[in-house]
């Protein structure tokens, strides 16, 4: 944490303990003995000092707190005399967990992909890995959402098959579609969007689509191909199958053309061992299997 927060924590923590100690000492003895006791509704209130056993336990709790803050890292950036850190504790727990389950991962990773699909333990582990690492974007059911691919259909933007999935998990994916507004202008954007809709047989303005065809052949074929079938090597989607990652109505397509898209899947090669990667890739592949 920053130096300002470091001192804020120290002053706030020690100041709170000092304030509690002062409050305790200030109320340790009886005051106002010359005053008559208060009585109301048959109840007499006396100005009685705190019991000494209670005061002693409170003092001991303050002393214990100070010792705890010195031994453990409880005062800002002060590391504590014990050398204990939560990061080291988590690392140790993770190492123990990995050592416990490593033989199981090794055993299952020795199977081929077809055997993994029919192995109940492999499926369970693959699903847990998916929920931990993939469900935030793709959903628990792997059906994706706006901007996140559905992994249960037969559409694979970066290519289908186990190898393509394993590569995506290890290395991640970075899709880059540039903005075409400077090149096409707003009118050209609308015409090209109409043509893109025509490729998948959706309702469109035929005259605008005819003009948009020329724009498409000039600016879009390099990635999507002359027929709009896409290119898995570039991560450019097939525009003819009516499957849309960012929406397929006229306004959504026009928005994509106008502003571009920069989809990113982070690499998990440093997070997952080769054995876990294989189990996860096999599980993802099984999600779209008939």
């Amino acid at each position: 944490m920053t130096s300002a927060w470091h001192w804020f924590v120290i002053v706030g923590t020690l100041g709170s303990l000092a304030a509690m100690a002062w409050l305790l000492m200030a109320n340790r003895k009886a005051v106002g003995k010359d005053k008559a006791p208060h009585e109301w509704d048959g109840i007499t209130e006396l100005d009685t000092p705190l019991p000494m056993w209670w005061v002693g336990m409170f003092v001991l709790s303050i002393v214990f707190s100070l010792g705890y803050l010195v031994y453990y890292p409880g005062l800002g950036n002060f590391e504590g005399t014990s050398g204990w850190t939560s990061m080291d504790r988590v690392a140790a727990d993770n190492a123990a967990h990995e050592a416990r389950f490593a033989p199981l991962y090794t055993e299952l990773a020795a199977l081929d992909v077809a055997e993994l699909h029919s192995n109940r333990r492999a499926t369970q582990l693959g699903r847990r890995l998916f929920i931990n690492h993939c469900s935030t974007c793709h959903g628990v059911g792997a059906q994706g959402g706006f901007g996140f691919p559905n992994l249960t259909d037969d559409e694979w933007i970066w290519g289908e098959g186990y190898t393509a999935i394993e590569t995506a998990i290890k290395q991640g994916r970075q899709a880059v579609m540039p903005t075409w507004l400077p090149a096409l202008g707003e009118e050209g954007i609308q015409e090209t969007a109409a043509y893109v809709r025509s490729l998948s047989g959706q309702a469109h303005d035929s005259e605008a689509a005819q003009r948009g065809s020329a724009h498409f052949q000039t600016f879009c074929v390099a990635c999507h191909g002359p027929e709009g079938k896409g290119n898995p090597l570039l991560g450019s989607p097939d525009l003819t199958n009516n499957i849309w990652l960012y929406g397929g109505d006229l306004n959504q397509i026009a928005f994509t053309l106008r502003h571009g898209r920069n989809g990113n899947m982070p690499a998990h090669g440093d997070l997952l061992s080769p054995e876990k990667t294989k189990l996860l890739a096999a599980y993802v592949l099984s999600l779209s299997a008939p």
Side-chain angles (χ1 to χ4, degrees):
M1 66 180 70
T2 63
S3 177
W5 281 112
H6 165 73
W7 287 109
F8 175 82
V9 171
I10 291 178
V11 173
T13 303
L14 297 181
S16 297
L17 291 175
M20 287 189 290
W22 174 83
L23 185 64
L24 177 67
M25 294 299 104
N27 292 275
R28 184 171 58 89
K29 296 180 180 180
V31 295
K33 294 182 179 180
D34 55 334
K35 296 181 179 179
H38 303 285
E39 183 176 345
W40 182 82
D41 197 22
I43 300 175
T44 301
E45 180 187 37
L46 301 175
D47 191 3
T48 305
L50 296 172
M52 287 306 299
W53 66 266
W54 193 93
V55 173
M57 292 195 64
F58 207 117
V59 171
L60 286 176
S61 69
I62 294 177
V63 173
F64 175 81
S65 300
L66 292 173
Y68 186 93
L69 292 172
V70 171
Y71 188 74
Y72 286 104
L75 295 174
N77 293 327
F78 177 64
E79 295 181 355
T81 59
S82 67
W84 182 95
T85 67
S86 58
M87 294 181 62
D88 291 341
R89 178 61 182 271
V90 171
D93 290 344
N94 287 340
H97 177 84
E98 292 295 330
R100 177 183 177 187
F101 289 97
L104 176 60
Y105 284 117
T106 302
E107 174 189 346
L108 294 175
L111 304 176
D112 60 34
V113 176
E115 290 174 321
L116 289 175
H117 287 177
S118 59
N119 188 293
R120 183 170 178 271
R121 289 190 301 172
T123 301
Q124 288 178 329
L125 287 175
R127 174 172 171 75
R128 290 173 184 172
L129 289 170
F130 182 89
I131 291 175
N132 289 337
H133 296 277
C134 313
S135 61
T136 301
C137 295
H138 295 283
V140 175
Q143 295 182 342
F146 186 85
F148 302 103
N150 182 354
L151 303 179
T152 64
D153 58 17
D154 57 358
E155 169 73 0
W156 296 95
I157 299 176
W158 294 92
E160 59 183 327
Y162 171 83
T163 301
I165 297 173
E166 184 183 44
T167 301
I169 294 173
K170 287 182 177 179
Q171 303 178 6
R173 298 294 189 185
Q174 178 64 59
V176 179
M177 175 177 171
T179 171
W180 292 108
L181 182 60
L184 293 173
E186 187 59 37
E187 184 177 358
I189 291 289
Q190 297 297 327
E191 292 169 349
T192 307
Y195 176 73
V196 170
R197 280 180 60 85
S198 73
L199 292 174
S200 57
Q202 298 187 83
H204 60 279
D205 183 331
S206 57
E207 293 183 0
Q210 186 175 3
R211 295 189 297 272
S213 174
H215 302 319
F216 187 91
Q217 297 303 322
T218 301
F219 298 103
C220 308
V221 294
C223 294
H224 295 282
E227 297 178 354
K229 293 289 187 179
N231 185 347
L233 295 177
L234 301 175
S236 53
D238 185 346
L239 303 177
T240 67
N241 57 11
N242 202 24
I243 297 176
W244 303 93
L245 186 60
Y246 294 100
D249 66 37
L250 186 64
N251 290 331
Q252 289 171 321
I253 295 174
F255 185 94
T256 297
L257 290 167
R258 189 180 300 115
H259 299 285
R261 297 292 185 182
N262 291 280
N264 174 266
M265 173 181 168
H268 286 71
D270 294 335
L271 301 175
L272 298 173
S273 66
E275 294 80 10
K276 290 183 178 180
T277 300
K278 183 174 182 179
L279 291 175
L280 178 56
Y283 174 76
V284 171
L285 181 62
S286 71
L287 295 174
S288 63

